[in-house]
Amino acid sequence: MTRIVFLGPPGAGKGTQAARLAAELGIPHLSTGDMLRAAVAQRTPLGLEAQGHIEAGRLVPDDLVLRILTERLGRPDARAGFVLDGFPRNLAQAERLEQITPLDLVVAFEIPAAQLVERLSGRRICPACQTVYHVTNRPPKVPGRCDFDGTELVQRPDDRPEAVRTRLAVYAQQTAPLVDHYTRRGLLRTLDATGSPEDVARRLRQLVG
Ligand code: AP5
């Protein structure tokens, strides 16, 4: 059983590494960002309530995120473990998570702010299968098209510069204090998130064991 949380600023590469590690370990990649974006795309009541917060770069209210995450964690595939990416994002969420499941490891991604902005401004995603690309660091085989289904790639609305500024400030104020929280619980390991995705994946595998 491997229950891992990824903590780190926007653009640190959490989603890229979580998808990869989860596939290697045969456990699900649970991204609250992906779950919320799917709810927005499907225009569910929860998605409609979350949309404005996401696009402005603010956190979605805790009760909405908890509803979506609790349902997902309750599905059978999550019983073997999970890589949780994007949750918790504040102390209240961390305390609620402790009531839902124990954790084995929290990985804190560390990377200079300038690299975050470069990664976010070049990110493109497939709106159909959610695969993440980067215009220079991870380009698709055919420019602007998903390698897997040919769908036209798009930029996330919250990757616009003003939303990125808000997301970085929200991370510093609300999420970064969780590093101390999980250090005190003896769960935290830091990961150097600079370098190529392959370099980061190699370091991550050493941490996870
Ligand atoms: P979420 O989707 O979780 O976004 P985030 O945490 O801001 O993280 P990102 O997805 O931006 O970055 P990432 O670290 O996954 O990087 P990636 O691998 O894509 O949340 C979005 C919004 O949803 C929030 O703002 C909030 O509104 C809401 N939300 C979600 N969870 C919530 C919660 N718990 N509570 C309240 N609200 C919540 O990589 C970035 C780019 O860099 C890509 O283009 C990638 O190809 C490239 N890249 C990756 N690794 C490398 C590398 N090593 N070298 C070069 N390029 C790289």
Side-chain angles (χ1 to χ4, degrees):
M1 165 89 71
T2 318
R3 293 158 299 201
I4 305 174
V5 162
F6 278 4
L7 203 60
K14 304 180 299 295
T16 300
Q17 296 298 332
R20 199 169 171 147
L21 182 66
E24 272 178 39
L25 299 178
I27 54 179
H29 167 204
L30 308 184
S31 158
T32 46
D34 285 350
M35 293 173 208
L36 289 165
R37 280 184 290 278
V40 170
Q42 289 156 15
R43 304 187 60 77
T44 66
L46 188 150
L48 292 174
E49 207 173 330
Q51 185 169 16
H53 296 287
I54 296 172
E55 291 183 1
R58 297 187 301 267
L59 292 186
V60 170
D62 291 347
D63 60 323
L64 291 190
V65 185
L66 267 155
R67 217 185 301 155
I68 216 166
L69 178 71
T70 308
E71 186 278 321
R72 184 63 190 86
L73 275 175
R75 289 197 218 156
D77 64 341
R79 284 192 208 130
F82 49 79
V83 181
L84 184 51
D85 158 21
F87 191 98
R89 282 233 183 11
N90 58 32
L91 205 51
Q93 291 184 6
E95 284 165 355
R96 292 293 299 274
L97 185 61
E98 273 157 32
Q99 294 161 4
I100 302 171
T101 178
L103 300 174
D104 301 303
L105 175 68
V106 177
V107 179
F109 284 56
E110 292 188 336
I111 179 168
Q115 288 187 38
L116 298 175
V117 173
E118 191 269 331
R119 288 187 185 180
L120 291 172
S121 60
R123 172 165 55 191
R124 299 293 181 271
I125 59 165
C126 172
C129 71
Q130 309 305 322
T131 301
V132 176
Y133 298 88
H134 188 280
V135 287
T136 50
N137 303 336
R138 197 195 167 209
K141 292 184 188 117
V142 176
R145 296 271 164 194
C146 179
D147 291 350
F148 300 101
D149 49 37
T151 305
E152 191 174 347
L153 303 181
V154 296
Q155 188 165 28
R156 270 172 45 178
D158 60 343
D159 282 345
R160 285 173 294 108
E162 61 276 24
V164 166
R165 276 194 292 276
T166 303
R167 288 162 64 202
L168 291 171
V170 167
Y171 180 79
Q173 284 163 9
Q174 301 196 43
T175 311
L178 294 180
V179 169
D180 283 347
H181 174 83
Y182 285 120
T183 301
R184 282 196 296 272
R185 278 163 175 64
L187 289 171
L188 193 104
R189 304 291 301 274
T190 55
L191 174 72
D192 174 1
T194 62
S196 71
E198 291 67 34
D199 290 341
V200 180
R202 218 170 297 119
R203 286 182 215 122
L204 179 61
R205 282 303 276 151
Q206 282 169 359
L207 276 190
V208 172

